[in-house]
Amino acid sequence: MIEWLNKNWLSMIAPAIVFLSFIVVAIWARRSLFNYLNGLFTKLKWEGSEILLQTTKAQFFQWCIILGAYTAILVSTLSPQGKVLAGRIIGTIFVISLTWTFLSLAVKLLHQYLRKIKAPFPFPTALIINAVRITFIVVGVLILLDIWKVPTTPIVLTLTIGLLVAVLASRDEILNIFSGFQLAHGDLIKIGHYIKLESGEEGYISDITWRNIQIKTPDDKIIFVPNSKFTKTTVTAYREPLKKATQAFRFYTRLHIKELTGLKAKNLSELVNILSDVPDSVIYYHTHNFIEEYQYLIPQPANEFALWVSDVIGDEILAEKLSNIDTFEFSTIGELRERIIAVINDGLSTRGDGRTAFEGREFHFIKSVSVVLTTPYIAHDLREFVEALRKVSINSLYFHIFESRLRLHRGVNDFSIWLQDSLDERELADKIAALDPYNYTIEDLRSIIIQLIEERIK
Amino acid sequence: MEKAIFHHPRAKIQDYVPIVGRSAIEELRALAERLSGKVIQNINSTFTGGGVAEILTRMVPLLNQLGVDAQWTTITGHKDFFDVTKKFHNALHGRKEDISSEDFSVFLEVSKKNIEELRFGGDIIFIHDPQPVALIAKKKELGGKWIWRCHIDVSNPDNRVWEFLRDFVIEYDAAVFSAPNFSQQLPIRQFMISPSIDPLSDKNKELPSEIIDSVLNKYGLDKDKPIIAQISRFDYLKDPIGVIQAFEMVRKSIDCQLVLAGGTATDDPESEKVLEEVREQASGKSDIHILLIPPEGDIEINALQQAAAVILQKSIKEGFGLTVTEALWKGKPVVASAVGGIQLQVKNKLTGLLCHSVEGAAYAVKRLLSNKEYAAWIGKNAREHVRQNFLITRHLKDYLLLFISLYYPSDAIYL
């Protein structure tokens, strides 16, 4: 060994000096470079600077040593084959170190940035980080194989095909992500907007994610529309979120059953006598029953007193006067009853009792027993209100327009009260209050009110 | 005592959405929720034949689907008992019947047996028609709410029979009648609930023309000649002889054919006799077709109604007249007597034409046969009138409201 050193010390000294020089330069360069970077990052206030410096500071010294070793081998007297082998070994160590370092750096930076993204990400964080790790490792392995002259083309080809297949398989997902990016950063659609899709779905945008847009429909369902589909379809965007009511409007419905009183009149005197004593619900029934029973007829038949007086008693003059009583003028059943009685009394005083009804054709007094129920429909603004209005039953409309107005002594329909008190929509409230509901079918009323509100929020 | 078991409900409640709208079904569910935990026991006299059994066959499964625990049981009785109840039925319709004190004894004796043997099990006991009316004697022991549902026209009843039954009726919590003029002076609450038809039943669903044609072929009817049809049980109260007389008046000026089609019910021993008389009256007249349709012949009844140009219902007395409702639902112009519940369905000149005599029926039929546009307009109104007021969904709603109302005395109930 000593003999070998005596013979070859001159060929050893040059690589050793080169190697030691690299160490000295490395110590100096690391200090200077990292001091400079520290200063630079302090100025830039980059959040990832600490991670970058911590991860690369120790590694930088290792890379200098590896470079020194490689240079020393190049200036050494090793055989060409020996240099190649040593170069590949050092190259391998360098690639492994470099890969490891960049991998650590990428993972730490990803952690740092993914934490800050508030919008739900289409993939779990672990999946993204693993994908990055795999990418770095694959690239590192490919470089190592290249260093050791192993053919990489088939591997690269296989990986490329695999990647293409994966991209094709998840193209919808990728399209969704791109579309989501486009939507999230665009100004046209925002959370809270009311939209209507070409396919008919409509509602408020409740969320925009990387994958889909969530639409809350007026009946409280959530529809998920993939972003890619959303950007391809025709979307009608209405206004910014409408003004919220100070108090939500809850739609009720009212169903009624007919209760027979057992009372019947066979002439006008009996009719007027019984009318004076029956409960309000009887008067209400006989002046409103036609609205529901003859929905399909325009105009609907008049109140049942007028019909009976015409068909059975045959007093057409009195029947006309009774038909002409405008229920809309009265805000209480009591006032309406008084008017009906006055008209019949007037007829009695001028023309007497007239005919007596045949058996079986008497006027039977019926009362309406109402059962009032809540519905699932609630409106917080005009848009929700109009959408609910489309869906509620005619019984619900009946309750809010007729029943509340007259029988419950409200004077005005419920809709107008809410529009004025909770939304400060005085003009709209007045327009609806001015509609004489007795001149329309309930379905006509529904259409007219919807139209009025649509015009207001257009 | 028998108990109805429904293995295969024919229609799902959801199936009615296209006909009456989603909101109507939502309302039924909301009402049914309020009856959660209550058992409703329907009791009548037969599972087959007649309007009551037909309605219950459909109502009970639908109530179950809505979450209401509705059950159906029948009383039992021998032929003598049903002969007596048939007499009661006719007498309540105002017909003179020879009812002996022995008949009342038979009624009470069978009722007593049923009271002892019947298994009661409802929070609400819903008794249909006079046959089981005496079961009310059990109320004191069982408690609960008891309702008497009168399906027949009692506007002008035989006093002896009505007074006999009234003693039972006034013990109920409520009585239900099909029309306002059926109501009586009673010290209990009285409700009005019209019967209904099921638009999805074989009797009322739309049929392809091939089926209609095959039924016409089967019965030897000429599809190119206008058909005047009366679909009813063979019963004096349906006046089938009057229908033949009216047809013969029409036939003098318009070439047409008459179909009298119907069946018999297990609780109607008189049907055979009536059928025989009708056959005799029609014998030798090739344009008059007397068809005895078996209880399972609903499709055939439907086809005959759909093929008809005009449908007649010339009843002398009528509870409600479901065959009229069926005809109206099919958009057919109807000529019907102004009796009983028919007047609720046929608004003269709007949803049909009312008559009061054989001559009136003949005149109305001629008007409709000779003015097709008018007939079509009346038919269209008729269908909408039934959609609004006489479909099974409205009937379900009324029953649910009735059950709820029993627990609240006021006119406005907030649930």
Side-chain angles (χ1 to χ4, degrees), chain A residues 253 255-260 262-263 279 281 292-297 359-361 364 366-374 377 391-396 399 407-408, chain B residues 23 26-27 30-31 34 156 177 179-181 183-185 189-193 343 347 350-351 381 384-385 388-389 397-398 401-402 404-405 410-415:
Chain A
T253 188
L255 304 163
H256 81 106
I257 185 167
K258 298 164 188 172
E259 185 167 343
L260 300 163
L263 299 168
S281 52
E292 287 177 282
E293 283 203 5
Y294 298 95
Q295 261 298 302
Y296 56 93
L297 284 178
E359 198 175 321
R361 303 298 307 274
H364 292 265
I366 298 171
K367 72 175 176 178
S368 168
V369 176
S370 293
V371 174
V372 180
L373 302 160
T374 56
Y377 302 105
K391 295 185 175 75
V392 294
S393 69
I394 57 170
N395 297 316
S396 177
F399 174 78
R407 190 173 174 196
L408 305 176
Chain B
S23 58
E26 281 173 2
E27 286 175 345
L31 284 175
R34 269 68 177 189
N156 190 18
F177 297 95
N181 55 330
S183 67
Q184 302 288 327
Q185 286 291 342
R189 292 179 82 181
Q190 298 178 67
F191 292 91
M192 184 181 128
I193 297 180
Q343 297 169 94
K347 294 291 169 191
L350 287 177
T351 62
N381 284 348
E384 286 312 306
H385 194 56
Q388 210 78 45
N389 304 296
K397 181 193 78 180
D398 279 356
L401 288 168
L402 167 70
I404 290 169
S405 302
S410 67
D411 295 346
I413 302 164
Y414 290 84
L415 296 178

